[in-house]
Amino acid sequence: MAGPSPRVSGQPACDIAELRGLFLFEKLTDAQLTRLCADATVQTFPAGPLCREGDPAEYFYVLLEGEIALSKRSGDRDIEIWRASDPGVYCGAWSAFLLDPDMTYENHATLTRPSRLLVIDATTLGDFLVSEFAMATHLLVGHSHGRFHAHRIVDPHERLLQLGQLTAGLTHELNNPAAAAVRAANSLRSQLAARRRSDRPDEALAELEDRVAELAGKPKDLTSVQKSDLEDALGQWLEDRGVTDAWAHAATFVEAGLDIDSLERIATAPCSRAGRLDTVIRRLAGTAETELLLSEISDATTRISSLVNKVKQYTQLDRAPFDVADVHELLDSTLTMFSHRLGDAVTVVRDYDVGLPELPCNPAELNQVWTNLIDNALDALAGHPSGVLTIRTRRVQDSMRVEVCDNGPGIPADVLTKVFDPFFTTKPFGEGTGLGLDIAARIADRHRGALWAESTPGDTRFTTSLPL
């Protein structure tokens, strides 16, 4: 509900005597009250929503009778922050003195019971404040803008500090069980190998099991088509020799890295003669499956440890605010944060100059720069059938240059000149603040560097230059 309901018929527009009894208006002169009342209305509203956070702020509301509750959106729910029934409390377009045509309601206001309100148009209130209280309005405008700019610069740092504090215990708690699981998997693999040797009087079978276990523990480099073809071949081979569950064993052997030559060697081994091939295949399949499961556990827990370390690097939890850092590590840790958005549709090219020295910097701040630039590049590649995100580093005299490039549609020339302006955004309403690139440019400037953009269709690049 963006505005008030229609005024109740026959209700007076405004009662100056009633307003003078409210703390909000008690210091106004009769002339000021008369002027304010001339353009205000008194309306009675039913219980329910009065105005919604984010909607255009069209009206200023003052409670005369009833009760108002204010809430703010957090995630997918509204959190109540204030409730009052005292006559004179207000809500709505309280920042009307800014005379901002794009002003929006900062809270969601709900009437908890039928209420009578003084309703003032935001433009009318803004003009009234500016003309009647000029100096106070100047001070309020200055305070509001100053507070906003302070929040714009400080809030990202505060959020990063909170993220660091949150991950402090989390990284420690995740690393410990992940490392323990890796150790347990390796220990279990050794114990199983020792048990296989102790349980087998047949040396030929022992050698086959060791060979299958060794193959199963190595990475495979086969495409899905190659795997399918090989599975068909192995399944047919086993079925032709009367092996039970031939196709199930074939799938296991393919994952373990066996081929037709491997099965031929198994078939000709002494332990497979005299009709024992079926038993040997079943035992070897069990060995392969066990090794594959152990490898899967080991790989998964190692990846958990790697991701935890990347998160730790991203938040720079263990570094002083100003330090020296490997920029490639910072870039890689930021890319890890975007892994859920990369998928198969975006190819990431890391064109790094590995000879670059470490950079004196605030690592956490630079991660904000890379986050904003990569986020914008991925937005540009949304829906691109073959998107390419290129991260390039180079040394130019005594500076390091980091380029974040994409092969998206490009930025029009008239837009390119504005991309670093605060509040400028091409995203739909509510999806962007227009502050990401402004903050990134300010961080580069604080590092005595620079950030600029160049774009043609199919080649957009944001270049950050930082002194070494």
Side-chain angles (χ1 to χ4, degrees):
M1 180 174 175
S5 61
R7 186 172 52 162
V8 176
S9 176
Q11 192 167 7
C14 183
D15 182 353
I16 292 178
E18 182 178 24
L19 295 192
R20 188 174 285 110
L22 303 178
F23 66 88
L24 187 61
F25 303 114
E26 61 184 358
K27 299 296 184 182
L28 297 188
T29 66
D30 288 346
Q32 289 171 329
L33 283 173
T34 300
R35 176 183 171 184
L36 197 61
C37 276
D39 295 308
T41 60
V42 174
Q43 300 184 31
T44 299
F45 295 85
L50 179 65
C51 58
R52 297 188 183 279
E53 180 181 351
D55 284 351
E58 299 176 347
Y59 299 98
F60 179 74
Y61 301 101
V62 181
L63 182 68
L64 302 176
E65 296 177 57
E67 186 177 62
I68 296 176
L70 294 186
S71 59
K72 286 195 74 68
R73 193 72 173 169
S74 178
D76 59 352
R77 70 190 190 97
D78 293 320
I79 298 177
E80 186 172 313
I81 58 174
W82 176 80
R83 179 183 291 240
S85 57
D86 300 323
V89 298
Y90 55 88
C91 66
W94 70 271
S95 296
F97 59 85
L98 293 172
L99 298 178
D100 182 358
D102 297 322
M103 182 171 56
T104 59
Y105 291 118
E106 298 184 9
N107 302 297
H108 178 66
T110 302
L111 299 174
T112 60
R113 59 176 183 260
S115 302
R116 194 166 62 93
L117 305 175
L118 177 71
V119 181
I120 306 174
D121 178 81
T123 303
T124 299
L125 178 62
D127 291 338
F128 175 81
L129 293 173
V130 170
S131 62
E132 298 290 340
F133 310 101
M135 182 176 177
T137 301
H138 283 305
L139 293 174
L140 285 171
V141 170
H143 172 73
S144 296
H145 286 310
R147 183 182 62 177
F148 172 79
H149 287 300
H151 280 305
R152 184 183 63 178
I153 301 302
V154 173
D155 283 356
H157 300 280
E158 293 294 333
R159 286 195 294 271
L160 199 62
L161 286 174
Q162 292 170 3
L163 179 61
Q165 293 167 358
L166 177 65
T167 56
L170 185 61
T171 53
H172 178 73
E173 293 299 328
L174 285 176
N175 255 333
N176 285 345
V182 172
R183 290 193 300 269
N186 292 333
S187 176
L188 183 58
R189 178 177 280 116
S190 299
Q191 291 186 26
L192 287 173
R195 178 169 294 182
R196 284 197 302 266
R197 287 189 289 271
S198 64
D199 289 349
R200 298 170 312 206
D202 191 324
E203 189 61 33
L205 181 57
E207 291 180 2
L208 287 176
E209 285 199 275
D210 287 341
R211 176 58 179 161
V212 167
E214 181 183 356
L215 286 173
K218 294 179 178 179
K220 317 302 180 297
D221 189 21
L222 294 176
T223 66
S224 57
V225 174
Q226 290 173 325
K227 285 184 177 181
S228 178
D229 292 343
L230 182 55
E231 186 174 332
D232 288 341
L234 295 186
Q236 193 61 55
W237 189 97
L238 293 169
E239 191 174 66
D240 290 345
R241 286 155 182 78
V243 175
T244 307
D245 297 327
W247 295 97
H249 295 328
T252 301
F253 286 149
V254 168
E255 291 296 326
L258 276 70
D259 53 20
I260 294 295
D261 289 341
S262 302
L263 295 188
E264 292 288 355
R265 284 194 292 273
I266 292 171
T268 57
C271 58
S272 301
R273 296 171 187 166
R276 289 184 296 172
L277 178 62
D278 190 90
T279 301
V280 169
I281 289 293
R282 187 165 58 253
R283 178 148 185 167
L284 294 179
T287 298
E289 189 166 359
T290 300
E291 288 296 323
L292 289 171
L293 290 173
L294 287 171
S295 295
E296 187 174 343
I297 293 171
S298 182
D299 291 345
T301 49
T302 299
R303 177 163 172 74
I304 290 172
S305 294
S306 176
L307 287 172
V308 168
N309 287 330
K310 292 293 185 183
V311 171
K312 191 176 181 181
Q313 291 173 15
Y314 181 76
T315 58
Q316 293 301 308
L317 183 64
D318 55 349
R319 298 196 184 193
F322 197 85
D323 204 344
V324 292
D326 184 334
V327 168
H328 299 145
E329 288 185 1
L330 301 183
L331 290 166
D332 286 341
S333 65
T334 305
L335 284 169
T336 300
M337 299 300 106
F338 284 98
S339 58
H340 65 289
R341 288 185 59 189
L342 296 174
D344 297 330
V346 178
T347 301
V348 178
V349 177
R350 292 174 171 86
D351 183 8
Y352 292 167
D353 180 354
V354 295
L356 284 174
E358 289 190 322
L359 180 74
C361 64
N362 182 315
E365 286 194 339
L366 285 189
N367 276 340
Q368 290 184 56
V369 176
W370 314 144
T371 297
N372 286 326
L373 297 184
I374 293 172
D375 182 53
N376 281 354
L378 292 178
D379 283 344
L381 294 175
H384 198 293
S386 54
V388 178
L389 172 66
T390 302
I391 312 294
R392 182 179 295 112
T393 61
R394 291 289 185 271
R395 179 169 187 158
V396 179
Q397 297 179 343
D398 293 330
S399 295
M400 173 191 300
R401 288 192 179 179
V402 179
E403 295 181 357
V404 177
C405 318
D406 68 76
N407 66 334
I411 304 173
D414 59 326
V415 175
L416 190 62
T417 60
K418 304 175 184 176
V419 293
F420 294 106
D421 292 349
F423 310 113
F424 179 79
T425 179
T426 58
K427 295 178 180 178
F429 178 79
E431 293 185 17
T433 63
L435 295 174
L437 291 177
D438 175 55
I439 290 172
R442 288 173 181 269
I443 292 173
D445 182 68
R446 281 202 295 272
H447 283 76
R448 295 178 292 114
L451 172 62
W452 65 89
E454 303 167 86
S455 182
T456 57
D459 183 16
T460 297
R461 58 188 65 198
F462 282 82
T463 303
T464 308
S465 178
L466 300 165
L468 289 168

